[in-house]
């Protein structure tokens, strides 16, 4: 699992404001145990699958998705999460700057919301995640192509990210 994602999730979870915003929607203890297990470098692959299952369930639940997106609109929540996610990218300052710039752009955040509002898009994203975990590169590329061809919200999000240089920086080795 991507270490930056795990770091971002852990920082989010340590934020009282984030936890309080979700307390009435999810089992906080279950997430805490999963994140603690992920912190162990020798964790099993099944733990990652469990966490991804919880993330998927959360994104598919309108109340949880809306609560998270509303929390991420708040500078006090979003900025520490982004800082934690880009901290490991110290050797790639261009990538860190592009990601930070994109997250500060309200238009990018609106496009993320529009994209995640579509059940079809969410399903394609999760299939792409499964393909990546299974190291099925062809499936991952195919899912990405379908996203851009069939879903205008995904195209608009890609263009918004491109304006900030995120796509260019992700292509760099």
């Amino acid at each position: 699992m991507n270490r930056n994602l795990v770091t971002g999730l852990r920082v989010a979870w340590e934020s009282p404001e984030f936890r309080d915003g979700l307390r009435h929607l999810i089992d906080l203890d279950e997430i805490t145990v999963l994140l603690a297990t992920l912190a162990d470098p020798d964790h099993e692959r099944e733990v990652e699958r469990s966490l991804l299952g919880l993330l998927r369930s959360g994104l598919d639940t309108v109340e949880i998705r809306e609560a998270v997106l509303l929390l991420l609109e708040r500078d006090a929540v979003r900025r520490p999460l982004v800082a934690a996610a880009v901290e490991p990218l110290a050797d790639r300052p261009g990538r860190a700057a592009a990601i930070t710039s994109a997250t500060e752009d309200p238009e990018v955040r609106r496009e993320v919301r529009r994209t995640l509002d579509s059940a079809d898009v969410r399903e394609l994203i999760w299939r792409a995640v499964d393909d990546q975990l299974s190291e099925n590169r062809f499936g991952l590329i195919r899912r990405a192509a379908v996203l851009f061809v069939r879903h205008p919200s995904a195209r608009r999000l890609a263009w918004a990210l491109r304006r900030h240089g995120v796509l260019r920086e992700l292509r760099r080795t």
Side-chain angles (χ1 to χ4, degrees):
M1 176 172 276
N2 184 305
R3 285 277 148 225
N4 298 345
L5 174 61
V6 173
T7 301
L9 289 171
R10 290 186 71 209
V11 168
W13 213 243
E14 292 168 4
S15 164
E17 189 173 21
F18 193 83
R19 287 177 69 124
D20 290 344
L22 296 175
R23 183 175 305 281
H24 65 288
L25 298 171
I26 58 177
D27 181 357
L28 299 179
D29 294 331
E30 183 179 4
I31 303 294
T32 301
V33 168
L34 276 173
L35 289 173
T37 306
L38 275 175
D40 177 9
D42 296 327
H43 66 269
E44 295 179 16
R45 194 80 158 165
E46 230 12 77
V47 174
E48 292 180 6
R49 292 225 180 257
S50 294
L51 182 61
L52 287 173
L54 283 172
L55 286 172
R56 182 178 188 164
S57 160
L59 282 177
D60 286 343
T61 306
V62 175
E63 294 85 7
I64 295 173
R65 186 175 61 247
E66 284 300 314
V68 169
L69 292 171
L70 285 172
L71 284 168
L72 292 176
E73 284 296 321
R74 302 175 85 177
D75 293 344
V77 173
R78 182 184 63 257
R79 288 184 177 147
L81 293 179
V82 173
V86 300
E87 183 180 333
L89 301 174
D91 60 331
R92 297 181 178 161
R95 186 177 292 183
I99 291 169
T100 302
S101 173
T103 61
E104 289 299 317
D105 184 347
E107 184 178 338
V108 170
R109 294 194 305 269
R110 276 192 302 275
E111 291 304 333
V112 166
R113 178 181 293 277
R114 284 185 198 126
T115 301
L116 292 178
D117 279 344
S118 167
D120 291 340
V121 170
R122 288 192 313 272
E123 181 60 31
L124 280 169
I125 290 169
W126 287 113
R127 286 184 182 176
V129 168
D130 288 339
D131 287 337
Q132 182 179 12
L133 287 175
S134 305
E135 297 181 11
N136 179 359
R137 190 169 170 86
F138 177 73
L140 179 62
I141 292 169
R142 185 179 61 179
R143 306 261 189 254
V146 170
L147 265 173
F148 294 112
V149 169
R150 291 190 184 164
H151 300 284
S153 61
R155 278 194 305 274
R156 286 190 306 267
L157 178 57
W159 280 108
L161 293 173
R162 182 178 180 268
R163 280 194 309 276
H164 290 278
V166 173
L167 300 180
R168 179 187 65 244
E169 291 298 328
L170 288 174
R171 285 191 307 262
R172 288 189 180 166
T173 54

